[in-house]
Amino acid sequence: MPRASRKDSILEAALACFSEHGVEATTIEMIRDRSGASIGSLYHHFGNKERILAALYVAGTEAYHGFLQDAWQHVDGAQSAVETLVGSYIDWVGQNPDWARFLLHCRGRVEAGEQGDTLRQHNREHFLWIERQLKMYREQGLLRELPRDVFTALLIGPTQDYMRHWLAGRVQTPLEQCRPLLAQAAWMVVKT
């Protein structure tokens, strides 16, 4: 197994600190201590806490996107595509709860910061990738013609809401039980 880079070690330590102490309470020194990096290395790679937040956010969205792309290899139709979008989101959040909490709670802060343009571009690319994957099914008339933002809200909104509650410990239905229910509900709403 390859050794994690210093930059990756710092990001892993930052995520652990943010999860344990919260973003506001976490200091650069805490991240440095947890990662074992020198202060010079930390500043060399990131410069400040806000850049660590942004880099961690982008790394999280890239990890999710890679997870989705791997799952997409098994898509074999419009319904399978919708179920993969929903199921992959549930699976990734279930396997990465700390990262998912971080992504849910820090998006606005990162968007408002100096790396906001980078984040918005990264998110645009992710959604354009999904659009390209669904284009064939739209052209075949298998998916409802809706404005993109409405389509996305109907497709993934209920799942995102459920997962937000799951991350907060406010729901009790196990993920393996709700996964097919949410995937089927999304399909029923977006199919023609």
Side-chain angles (χ1 to χ4, degrees):
M1 185 167 154
R3 191 175 152 208
S5 72
R6 174 56 70 195
K7 191 174 181 178
D8 290 340
S9 297
I10 293 168
L11 290 177
E12 289 172 18
L15 180 59
C17 289
F18 295 150
S19 296
E20 281 180 34
H21 309 288
V23 171
E24 292 303 322
T26 297
T27 64
I28 290 284
E29 290 74 24
M30 294 164 90
I31 295 169
R32 180 186 52 78
D33 288 346
R34 184 99 176 220
S35 68
S38 68
I39 197 73
S41 178
L42 199 141
Y43 281 103
H44 166 74
H45 288 294
F46 300 103
N48 61 38
K49 183 173 150 181
E50 291 305 313
R51 287 185 183 156
I52 292 172
L53 281 165
L56 186 58
Y57 194 97
V58 169
T61 58
E62 286 175 351
Y64 167 68
H65 188 69
F67 189 87
L68 176 58
Q69 286 179 317
D70 289 345
W72 203 266
Q73 296 176 31
H74 305 289
V75 167
D76 62 359
Q79 183 173 354
S80 174
V82 168
E83 290 172 350
T84 297
L85 286 167
V86 171
S88 293
Y89 183 76
I90 292 169
D91 294 345
W92 190 83
V93 171
Q95 292 172 28
N96 301 280
D98 288 341
W99 223 342
R101 276 186 206 92
F102 173 80
L103 293 175
L104 285 170
H105 297 294
C106 290
R107 179 179 180 160
R109 182 172 176 160
V110 174
E111 280 186 336
E114 64 183 58
Q115 300 297 312
D117 288 339
T118 302
L119 171 62
R120 281 185 287 281
Q121 179 60 34
H122 183 76
N123 284 340
R124 267 192 300 277
E125 290 169 7
H126 173 71
F127 287 112
L128 286 173
W129 181 87
I130 293 171
E131 286 282 315
R132 286 191 302 272
Q133 305 314 306
L134 296 177
K135 183 179 179 184
M136 172 178 57
Y137 305 121
R138 286 184 194 278
E139 290 173 349
Q140 293 172 356
L142 300 172
L143 298 174
R144 291 178 63 188
E145 285 299 324
L146 297 164
R148 183 189 322 174
D149 52 356
V150 174
F151 182 88
T152 302
L154 291 171
L155 175 71
I156 202 73
T159 300
Q160 285 180 325
D161 187 59
Y162 187 85
M163 295 311 293
R164 234 187 316 273
H165 289 290
W166 181 82
L167 287 166
R170 292 189 296 260
V171 294
Q172 296 179 6
T173 304
L175 295 184
E176 61 274 4
Q177 187 177 345
C178 77
R179 187 184 194 277
L181 298 172
L182 289 166
Q184 182 65 26
W187 172 244
M188 297 303 290
V189 170
V190 300
K191 73 176 185 169
T192 51

